[in-house]
Amino acid sequence: MKNLSLIFLSIYFLLTACQKAVTPPEPVLPVPTERQLAWHEMEQYAFVHFTTNTFTDKEWGFGDESPSVFKPTAMDVTQWTKTFKDAGLTGLVLTCKHHDGFCLWPSEYTEHSVKNSPYKDGKGNVVDEVEKASRADGLKFGVYLSPWDRNRADYGSPSYVEYYRNQLKELFTAHSPVFEMWFDGANGGDGYYGGANEKRKIDGRTYYDWPTTLNLIRGMEPNVIFFSDAGPDIRWCGNERGYVNETNWNTITPDTLYAGKGGIEKLLNTGEETGTAWIPAEVDVSIRPGWFYHEKEDSLVKTPEQLFDIYLSSVGRGSNLILNIPPDRRGLVNEIDVASLLGWKKLIDERFATNIALNKPANASTVRGNSPVYEAAMVTDGNKETYWATNDQEQTGNLEIDLGESKLISYVLIQEYIKLGQRIKSFSVEIEKDGNWLEVAKGTTIGYKRILRIDPVDARKVRLVISGSKACPVISNVEVY
Ligand code: FUL
């Protein structure tokens, strides 16, 4: 008896040792940082454009607006954050200062702010109020501070850069944590500039001395994600229409890119397969035609279906979505926008209600070292930290999920384990029909998340076919709806 236990124990240790011997795949560089991983998981959040433009009916204030126009009549920032939370958004980024230079907080460095407005008799601080409301609703808080300032007399000279940094110091001292800092590359040249009323050109590559500014902020807020056309943490997607390319690499070579440089839109939209840095794209788009509220656009608010399409072409292509929802002149998210947002959330909840692949058995063409640690069922176990992987030399492979019975399928969701880098270059999805495999969707990149809409079809078995990969495929999750 004693001998038998010893034999069993030895077998057990032998098996565990064999299992341990199967090493995980080497990462394909570059890989995301911890803060980028946390950002990927945020998926969709709000952009809030609100300033004097809301009251002057403009998109780009000239910089000569009187602070007295900033006069919301029924301001309630908790209505904004409740709406965003109910819509399934995970955070918000607020335009603390847009191109017109008007500050939503009482900055000590300028008179062009809420402190000289009728709002709360000059005692208001919209940045503070929005941050508090966000935290109360569990939303992460982010900051937009326009580098281009059409109000400042010294815009274009070194003292303005100092001014800009002082404002960042004010913001980052008063507010933490800030999950994202949004640097807008836009610069139209002309402005009020303290009464000069002229056109000013700056060299976007050198004027702001970004490395110094970013170091300054990083010193105050180590985990902040920097957005600009070219990164360094996340990049612009190259358009404001709500999509990233179907081929969407999280990698790009940033050496020659900088905020405001034209002609790089296509590159930003796809990224680069051979890119040297992990700089994923963020899709910025407004629920309305403009970024600020205009009554005349009330009939043009995007419908729930349009928002759903945008969701598929942003989050569904491995990007994050920053959806702009501009409060109206009352200081409220307009009822029309609220209805649309909640309708969108309902569509998402209905269409992705039950993952019919969850905990279903799966089989793969090959499994890394034949180890249970990397077996096919790791993609249906609902655990994002486990994954299916093949052996190192295998850059293709199939994975089959048995749903147990024939079900109507409309969406397939796939995720790579991006901690080991982005790998997949081409893949397809097939279903079994009368003993034959039928292709129902195909794609190129996957990345953090890929959602494929297919013509609704009945099937019991679904197969993921990886036909091209930079190295052995590493898939953490497959969901079927
Ligand atoms: C652009 C700006 O010019 C728009 O006004 C808006 O803020 C958008 C998000 O970025 O570059």
Side-chain angles (χ1 to χ4, degrees):
M1 200 56 192
K2 207 172 166 194
N3 277 348
L4 210 61
S5 331
L6 262 177
I7 291 170
F8 277 133
L9 213 61
S10 317
I11 293 175
Y12 171 77
F13 279 122
L14 204 70
L15 282 176
T16 341
C18 286
Q19 225 162 284
K20 278 204 185 110
V22 182
T23 51
E26 285 293 320
V28 170
L29 300 177
V31 294
T33 59
E34 281 297 319
R35 61 173 178 268
Q36 285 172 323
L37 283 170
W39 171 84
H40 276 288
E41 292 188 356
M42 288 184 67
E43 300 194 0
Q44 70 264 27
Y45 36 88
F47 213 167
V48 181
H49 277 66
F50 188 55
T51 187
T52 46
N53 290 346
T54 313
F55 304 90
T56 56
D57 219 10
K58 285 187 182 166
E59 276 292 304
W60 278 7
F62 198 65
D64 60 349
E65 300 74 20
S66 163
S68 65
V69 302
F70 187 80
K71 206 174 173 179
T73 52
M75 181 89 161
D76 181 3
V77 295
T78 64
Q79 184 258 2
W80 311 2
T81 55
K82 182 179 181 310
T83 303
F84 300 161
K85 185 185 167 190
D86 291 348
L89 302 176
T90 56
L92 70 84
V93 174
L94 174 69
T95 56
C96 301
K97 174 187 90 161
H98 201 249
H99 308 327
D100 51 81
F102 181 79
C103 299
L104 292 184
W105 81 102
S107 170
E108 70 169 89
Y109 300 100
T110 180
E111 291 306 305
H112 199 51
S113 85
V114 278
K115 73 182 172 202
N116 291 317
S117 80
Y119 177 59
K120 293 191 174 174
D121 293 327
K123 302 279 179 302
N125 180 337
V126 181
V127 178
D128 203 51
E129 292 153 24
V130 172
E131 186 206 5
K132 289 204 169 91
S134 304
R135 307 252 184 257
D137 275 321
L139 302 174
K140 290 193 181 175
F141 177 72
V143 162
Y144 167 114
L145 190 75
S146 172
W148 181 32
D149 191 319
R150 305 172 95 187
N151 175 261
R152 289 294 293 183
D154 59 351
Y155 181 77
S157 62
S159 68
Y160 170 74
V161 178
E162 229 17 70
Y163 168 75
Y164 186 70
R165 289 186 185 145
N166 282 334
Q167 294 206 315
L168 287 167
K169 278 187 216 157
E170 275 185 326
L171 287 173
F172 281 86
T173 308
H175 311 287
S176 183
V178 172
F179 84 94
E180 179 167 335
M181 169 79 221
W182 221 89
F183 292 112
D184 194 326
N187 191 322
D190 64 338
Y192 171 68
Y193 304 126
N197 294 312
E198 59 188 12
K199 208 171 175 119
R200 288 188 185 167
K201 261 184 88 90
I202 51 116
D203 181 348
R205 201 171 0 194
T206 54
Y207 175 56
Y208 299 108
D209 177 16
W210 286 121
T212 306
T213 303
L214 300 192
N215 276 337
L216 170 85
I217 305 173
R218 192 71 84 204
M220 297 185 279
E221 189 64 279
N223 291 323
V224 68
I225 287 281
F226 291 127
F227 166 97
S228 86
D229 287 9
D233 293 311
I234 54 172
R235 67 176 199 264
W236 185 39
C237 70
N239 66 72
E240 294 178 340
R241 294 188 298 282
Y243 69 93
V244 78
N245 200 278
E246 275 197 64
T247 298
N248 175 26
W249 290 101
N250 289 303
T251 47
I252 201 161
T253 302
D255 302 1
T256 56
L257 309 177
Y258 58 89
K261 182 182 183 180
I264 51 171
E265 289 79 3
K266 204 176 164 294
L267 182 66
L268 295 174
N269 201 239
T270 56
E272 288 172 291
E273 186 182 327
T274 54
T276 54
W278 187 276
I279 307 179
E282 182 189 69
V283 172
D284 62 320
V285 63
S286 185
I287 193 167
R288 290 165 167 262
W291 291 98
F292 288 91
Y293 175 83
H294 309 287
E295 197 182 343
K296 58 180 180 291
E297 293 181 351
D298 277 354
S299 60
L300 300 171
V301 173
K302 291 188 174 68
T303 62
E305 277 298 347
Q306 285 174 315
L307 294 177
F308 186 78
D309 286 347
I310 286 175
Y311 174 76
L312 289 186
S313 60
S314 54
V315 176
R317 291 181 184 170
S319 229
N320 275 7
L321 168 64
I322 181 164
L323 177 64
N324 182 60
I325 303 145
D328 61 19
R329 288 186 182 177
R330 293 170 302 172
L332 296 173
V333 176
N334 193 274
E335 292 77 353
I336 302 169
D337 306 52
V338 173
S340 204
L341 285 168
L342 298 183
W344 171 51
K345 173 69 163 52
K346 196 160 164 269
L347 289 183
I348 292 182
D349 288 350
E350 281 168 6
R351 291 174 185 174
F352 303 114
T354 314
N355 167 19
I356 53 175
L358 185 66
N359 294 322
K360 292 288 166 7
N363 266 303
S365 47
T366 51
V367 167
R368 187 174 187 80
N370 287 320
S371 162
V373 175
Y374 306 112
E375 70 186 16
M378 296 296 134
V379 307
T380 53
D381 67 355
N383 180 349
K384 62 178 184 180
E385 288 307 320
T386 60
Y387 51 82
W388 162 61
T390 63
N391 295 308
D392 281 339
Q393 61 282 12
E394 295 158 355
Q395 291 166 9
T396 58
N398 300 341
L399 184 144
E400 198 178 304
I401 301 171
D402 186 348
L403 302 172
E405 57 182 310
S406 189
K407 296 241 171 100
L408 189 68
I409 297 172
S410 309
Y411 299 91
V412 176
L413 182 156
I414 311 161
Q415 294 188 279
E416 281 187 78
Y417 188 74
I418 57 168
K419 283 185 186 172
L420 294 177
Q422 188 177 3
R423 299 160 172 254
I424 310 299
K425 298 200 277 189
S426 62
F427 70 96
S428 60
V429 175
E430 300 177 343
I431 55 139
E432 200 190 42
K433 198 109 205 133
D434 310 320
N436 298 315
W437 287 100
L438 209 75
E439 184 178 286
V440 290
K442 65 176 179 186
T444 49
T445 53
I446 295 178
Y448 170 72
K449 186 174 272 188
R450 188 72 212 269
I451 307 174
L452 298 138
R453 179 170 18 203
I454 58 183
D455 283 339
V457 61
D458 277 305
R460 178 181 158 164
K461 285 186 179 167
V462 182
R463 181 157 86 171
L464 170 65
V465 180
I466 307 290
S467 47
S469 181
K470 281 184 168 181
C472 67
V474 177
I475 305 290
S476 68
N477 189 30
V478 177
E479 297 175 14
V480 179
Y481 296 93

